[in-house]
Amino acid sequence: MIRGVLDILGGLYEMLCMGIRSRFNLRGDYWSWRTHTAFPDGDPPPGHSKPRLALEYFIWAHRIRKLR
């Protein structure tokens, strides 16, 4: 349980850091590429939301940085 909470906090931290690095320009080249590769059809799979999938991505990025 605690590990899950720490992963979520770490994912939010990664989201903040990446937002700062991209100057929160969500329509820039990187974010356009990221969205296109994640959702080639333009929409997330049924039963999933973009914010939830984004959080899962940032949790993954946090885990990769910590190598766990």
Side-chain angles (χ1 to χ4, degrees):
M1 170 130 173
I2 291 176
R3 185 176 200 163
V5 171
L6 292 176
D7 282 343
I8 290 172
L9 292 175
L12 293 173
Y13 174 76
E14 291 297 328
M15 187 184 304
L16 177 64
C17 289
M18 197 169 287
I20 290 170
R21 282 189 293 250
S22 68
R23 297 185 182 131
F24 294 95
N25 183 9
L26 300 180
R27 298 193 192 281
D29 291 338
Y30 173 77
W31 292 109
S32 296
W33 170 79
R34 191 87 210 113
T35 302
H36 179 71
T37 56
F39 310 113
D41 298 330
D43 293 322
H48 294 83
S49 68
K50 283 186 181 180
R52 175 64 186 169
L53 293 172
L55 180 59
E56 288 178 15
Y57 167 74
F58 287 113
I59 289 172
W60 172 82
H62 169 71
R63 288 179 180 165
I64 289 297
R65 280 198 194 280
K66 299 295 180 189
L67 296 176
R68 14 176 231 156

